[in-house]
Amino acid sequence: MININETNKKHCCGCTACESVCHKKCISMQTDNEGFKYPVVDKTKCVNCRLCEKVCPILNKTHNVFPNTAYVVRNKNSEIVRSSTSGGAVTAFSKEIINNGGIVFGGAFDSNFYVKHTYAKTESELSKFRSSKYVQSDMGTTFTEVKQQLDNGKFVMFTGTPCQVEGLQNYLRKPYDNLFTIDFVCRAVPSPLVWEKYREFMEKKFGSEITYANFREKTYGYHSANLTLRFANGKKSIENTNTDYMLKSFFKGICSRPSCYDCKFREPGRVSDLTVFDCWNITRYVNGLADDDKGYTAVIIQSTKGAKLFEKAKHNLIVYPADPKLLLENDGHMAMENPKYHENRKEYFEMLNNGYNIEQVVKKYIPIKISRKIFGKFRGFFYKTGISSSDLPSFKKSYINCTDSFTLSVIGKPKETRSGWSPTKTICLISCSSCSMR
């Protein structure tokens, strides 16, 4: 039987294949103190059939050949591109399934902003799947629902992490011609507990409930996407990977699932039909095409079914052929490279579980640099004037009569910007509530 404990958690990706296949219903997914779910077996009900072991994607890893076909694409619908993580490719593929009477499964926020796998049966419902959710999704009964739809003859598309896709296919235990799977190249899956603690902190800070969340909103363009929150009182928060507590925790590798640091699914060839990921360097693959900072999606064809689906969907896409090896080397390196394990990960979760808020925990173990705070605070201004963080000269500190804050002089260099303006401005680093300069 499956036996996951404190010593071997890296051997479970949380896909739910074992729970879903158990006929005796003696396996349940239970949440640990880091917010991740693991299978727990009721030994009084278990008959030791070992089906759970047979469908585990980590115990039964499939290795595939290196793919030889890839594209860089963008949806022809500009609104879909704007609201998508990159180029809106998955929406185009999903639309083909929906238009053939099918159903699409993917990760989405529920009404309380928990991330859960759910389904869409209409084109209008596909919008909930757009934009990345940097949290491990709760699979619930998704695998059994997928099987039911497949057995009823429906076309089904399943989108998820590589381990979720492989877990589903192992659970099904036979190929289905009416199943289409898409995996996305992922860095790791962050803790749902950290996301919950983050939301609690932000709602307290802004004095209102969250009504909107987007991990990859393109407020300042595709290359500078940010985590945007909107609140019921009309306020909003816009932060980037260097200034946001949730994003910083994720990208510093301090809050991801243990199995992600030793992922068994990081290889170019996948069991899915299509693999998608960000295309950050469009100009490397398409000569003469300028990067308009709106986003493109890299798509790798992994199967004959994937190739056929791509052909059917490409009338809704702008398509450029690409070399899969070059794509993976430049933009898809996380398909093959594990994130680094943060040395203070254990202490991070201990502090979070001992009543400290996420701001206090981040300041302790992954503090945000002052220069990042400054650039983040005036990011909108810099974006409008065409200035990037690399354009800024060194900062000269000049303390004021305040023990909690100081000002910094930012002296602009003569250079071409969107407005042709070179700034000279004094900026207050911290807007303290007691400061007379507010």
Side-chain angles (χ1 to χ4, degrees), residues 52-73:
C52 53
E53 295 178 8
K54 293 175 182 177
V55 300
C56 174
I58 289 181
L59 293 179
N60 304 277
K61 180 70 188 76
T62 301
H63 296 282
N64 299 279
V65 298
F66 197 99
N68 57 23
T69 306
Y71 301 93
V72 174
V73 307

Side-chain angles (χ1 to χ4, degrees), residues 99 188 213 219 302 389 418:
N99 288 344
T219 307
Q302 300 281 8
S389 56
R418 288 178 188 148

Side-chain angles (χ1 to χ4, degrees), residues 332-351:
H333 59 93
M334 292 308 298
M336 295 162 285
E337 298 175 12
N338 286 317
K340 292 182 179 179
Y341 184 94
H342 197 284
E343 61 182 359
N344 296 122
R345 184 183 180 281
K346 179 181 178 182
E347 292 78 9
Y348 173 97
F349 276 105
E350 286 178 349
M351 193 172 175

Side-chain angles (χ1 to χ4, degrees), residues 198-261:
Y198 171 83
R199 298 198 316 275
E200 290 175 359
F201 172 80
M202 295 299 283
E203 288 185 340
K204 184 176 181 180
K205 177 181 178 180
F206 283 84
S208 184
E209 291 185 351
I210 294 170
T211 58
Y212 171 89
N214 190 330
F215 279 90
R216 290 280 300 272
E217 190 167 76
K218 299 173 181 175
T219 307
Y220 305 125
Y222 170 64
H223 291 283
S224 301
N226 48 261
L227 198 166
T228 298
L229 300 177
R230 295 194 179 98
F231 300 85
N233 60 7
K235 295 181 179 180
K236 65 180 179 180
S237 169
I238 302 176
E239 298 290 346
N240 60 47
T241 56
N242 296 306
T243 62
D244 182 80
Y245 299 136
M246 181 70 198
L247 293 180
K248 184 80 184 262
S249 297
F250 173 39
F251 285 99
K252 283 296 182 180
I254 205 168
C255 70
S256 298
R257 190 178 182 96
S259 60
C260 296
Y261 302 103

Side-chain angles (χ1 to χ4, degrees), residues 9-203:
K9 285 186 174 181
K10 72 174 185 177
H11 297 312
C12 175
C13 61
C15 71
T16 73
C18 57
E19 179 193 36
S20 302
V21 81
C22 182
H23 298 305
K24 294 295 181 179
K25 305 299 179 187
C26 63
I27 300 177
S28 59
M29 300 297 291
Q30 298 185 16
T31 306
D32 73 351
N33 62 352
E34 294 179 350
F36 297 109
K37 290 190 173 184
Y38 293 90
V40 176
V41 180
D42 183 346
K43 295 180 181 178
T44 64
K45 296 180 180 179
C46 179
V47 296
N48 202 29
C49 68
R50 302 185 70 179
L51 267 179
C52 53
E53 295 178 8
K54 293 175 182 177
V55 300
C56 174
I58 289 181
L59 293 179
N60 304 277
K61 180 70 188 76
T62 301
H63 296 282
N64 299 279
V65 298
F66 197 99
N68 57 23
T69 306
Y71 301 93
V72 174
V73 307
R74 174 184 286 176
N75 202 298
K76 290 180 179 178
N77 185 315
S78 60
E79 177 56 30
I80 290 175
V81 175
R82 186 196 64 78
S83 60
S84 298
T85 298
S86 49
V90 175
T91 297
F93 302 138
S94 300
K95 185 178 177 180
E96 288 302 311
I97 301 299
I98 296 292
N99 288 344
N100 281 279
I103 184 170
V104 177
F105 289 84
F109 290 124
D110 70 4
S111 59
N112 295 312
F113 292 97
Y114 289 100
V115 181
K116 297 182 177 181
H117 254 66
T118 183
Y119 59 84
K121 292 183 176 181
T122 65
E123 281 190 43
S124 61
E125 292 178 291
L126 293 176
S127 61
K128 63 188 174 186
F129 297 140
R130 290 184 205 129
S131 195
S132 299
K133 285 86 178 172
Y134 291 147
V135 187
Q136 181 161 35
S137 63
D138 186 337
M139 297 301 292
T141 58
T142 296
F143 282 9
T144 56
E145 292 174 32
V146 167
K147 186 177 187 304
Q148 183 180 12
Q149 295 292 333
L150 291 170
D151 289 339
N152 288 338
K154 288 275 190 179
F155 284 108
V156 175
M157 174 180 286
F158 176 87
T159 64
T161 60
C163 56
Q164 288 172 337
V165 171
E166 197 148 339
L168 171 63
Q169 296 202 356
N170 282 11
Y171 157 73
L172 293 172
R173 291 185 288 165
K174 70 174 185 179
Y176 282 84
D177 290 337
N178 50 331
L179 172 65
F180 298 84
T181 56
I182 299 179
D183 80 271
F184 46 82
V185 170
C186 75
R187 174 181 294 271
V189 287
S191 162
L193 173 66
V194 174
W195 172 233
E196 181 180 351
K197 295 290 187 181
Y198 171 83
R199 298 198 316 275
E200 290 175 359
F201 172 80
M202 295 299 283
E203 288 185 340

